[in-house]
Amino acid sequence: MSTPSRTIITASFLTGFALASFLRLLDKRKTNAKNRTNAGAYDEGNDVTMFYGSTEQDHDNQEYIAKEKQYLSADLYGQIVRNTVVVCVDCLIVKFNVHTNRHECLLVERADEPAKNLWWLPGGRLYKGETFFDGALRKVKEETGLDTTSTNSDGTTSTNVIRPIQVLGFYNTFFPTSSWDTDTDKGTQTVQPIILVKIETAHTEILLDRTSERYRWIGLDPEEAKSNGEDRYVIDALLKYQAWDLSYGSTSGI
């Protein structure tokens, strides 16, 4: 092969290599930009709780807040809903589905206002004295029947059936109606984190409480959720998860 021919081949190779490298860099920048747009998760295991004084020890001993301070009367809670901001906690509950070979999350159809009839994430009011992870575990148990422990068919007990992983982000939501509306006061405002909760066991039974009509599992791909017409709150939660964990939906994910 002549020297000019070798030179042309070498130049073509280098040009192709440079172009491929540029396209990879461009794709990486686009991915990073998308992730920066949707990222907001805290480190795994960090539920952004800060204790002052002796409250951490009191909380660990379950002596921080009396139970009567957590369960509010209907009249008092109605006034709170209508006149102030309610702090809640919502949960992106994720499991690996052995039948579909992918990770999926749980949606419930809300039975009450606000957001009645919407397919949403399980969740609800945070009790005084609870951390975000405390509230997430309680709401998951109340609304789905899933607990940190379960009894197996052979009578043994499994632990860590569900595990809160991390705070994916925070939302400030406004609703035009609530279950506590009056003729003059309508709607409510809630502020809540979305907590990523992992189901550790392969087989789970969902037992809904009265706050939900039905449930279903969907994939973790936000584009798939968008094409299927899922609510924007659900899509945004999936975008937050995707930005934090690029292995979303795969067998190597959480």
Side-chain angles (χ1 to χ4, degrees):
M1 181 181 294
S2 64
T3 299
S5 298
R6 285 197 296 270
T7 301
I8 293 174
I9 293 174
T10 301
S12 299
F13 172 79
L14 292 175
T15 300
F17 179 79
L19 179 60
S21 299
F22 172 76
L23 292 176
R24 283 197 298 270
L25 177 61
L26 184 62
D27 183 66
K28 182 178 180 181
R29 287 181 175 177
K30 288 181 178 179
T31 299
N32 289 340
K34 182 178 180 181
N35 289 345
R36 282 195 298 271
T37 299
N38 296 295
Y42 287 78
D43 295 337
E44 291 187 17
N46 178 13
D47 72 349
V48 291
T49 295
M50 292 186 181
F51 292 100
Y52 288 85
S54 62
T55 54
E56 181 172 9
Q57 180 179 354
D58 293 340
H59 176 271
D60 291 342
N61 293 333
Q62 299 298 310
E63 299 174 355
Y64 181 40
I65 299 296
K67 291 299 182 183
E68 57 266 23
K69 297 290 187 179
Q70 296 180 336
Y71 300 103
L72 306 178
S73 67
D75 180 63
L76 176 58
Y77 187 58
Q79 293 183 51
I80 291 173
V81 170
R82 293 188 296 271
N83 295 287
T84 188
V85 179
V86 182
V87 180
C88 297
V89 57
D90 289 337
C91 303
L92 185 70
I93 305 173
V94 175
K95 72 169 184 177
F96 181 73
N97 189 326
V98 295
H99 302 292
T100 60
N101 197 38
R102 68 175 186 175
H103 284 90
E104 297 175 342
C105 71
L106 180 68
L107 298 184
V108 294
E109 184 183 15
R110 290 182 57 86
D112 301 317
E113 296 290 1
K116 183 177 181 179
N117 298 327
L118 287 183
W119 286 95
W120 252 43
L121 306 177
R125 180 171 73 90
L126 187 72
Y127 286 172
K128 186 174 182 180
E130 286 184 325
T131 67
F132 289 143
F133 281 6
D134 290 340
L137 290 175
R138 176 179 57 81
K139 290 308 299 181
V140 170
K141 180 179 180 180
E142 289 176 354
E143 296 195 10
T144 71
L146 298 173
D147 202 353
T148 53
T149 61
S150 66
T151 302
N152 303 317
S153 57
D154 59 1
T156 60
T157 300
S158 295
T159 59
N160 295 324
V161 176
I162 58 171
R163 181 167 60 94
I165 305 294
Q166 64 192 129
V167 179
L168 291 177
F170 290 85
Y171 295 83
N172 185 15
T173 47
F174 297 78
F175 301 96
T177 57
S178 79
S179 294
W180 305 93
D181 287 351
T182 66
D183 292 337
T184 56
D185 295 311
K186 299 182 185 300
T188 188
Q189 178 183 355
T190 66
V191 172
Q192 66 278 342
I194 290 181
I195 307 299
L196 175 62
V197 177
K198 180 182 179 182
I199 299 178
E200 301 282 6
T201 56
H203 302 287
T204 55
E205 181 181 5
I206 303 299
L207 300 173
L208 297 179
D209 68 357
R210 66 165 189 80
T211 64
S212 301
E213 298 285 358
R214 296 176 292 171
Y215 75 90
R216 58 188 171 92
W217 297 90
I218 67 168
L220 299 184
D221 187 344
E223 293 301 322
E224 177 185 331
K226 186 181 299 184
S227 65
N228 289 337
E230 303 298 351
D231 186 79
R232 57 180 175 168
Y233 184 55
V234 173
I235 295 170
D236 208 52
L238 294 178
L239 285 168
K240 288 286 189 294
Y241 175 57
Q242 180 188 27
W244 181 252
D245 185 355
L246 294 182
S247 64
Y248 75 98
S250 69
T251 56
S252 60
I254 67 166

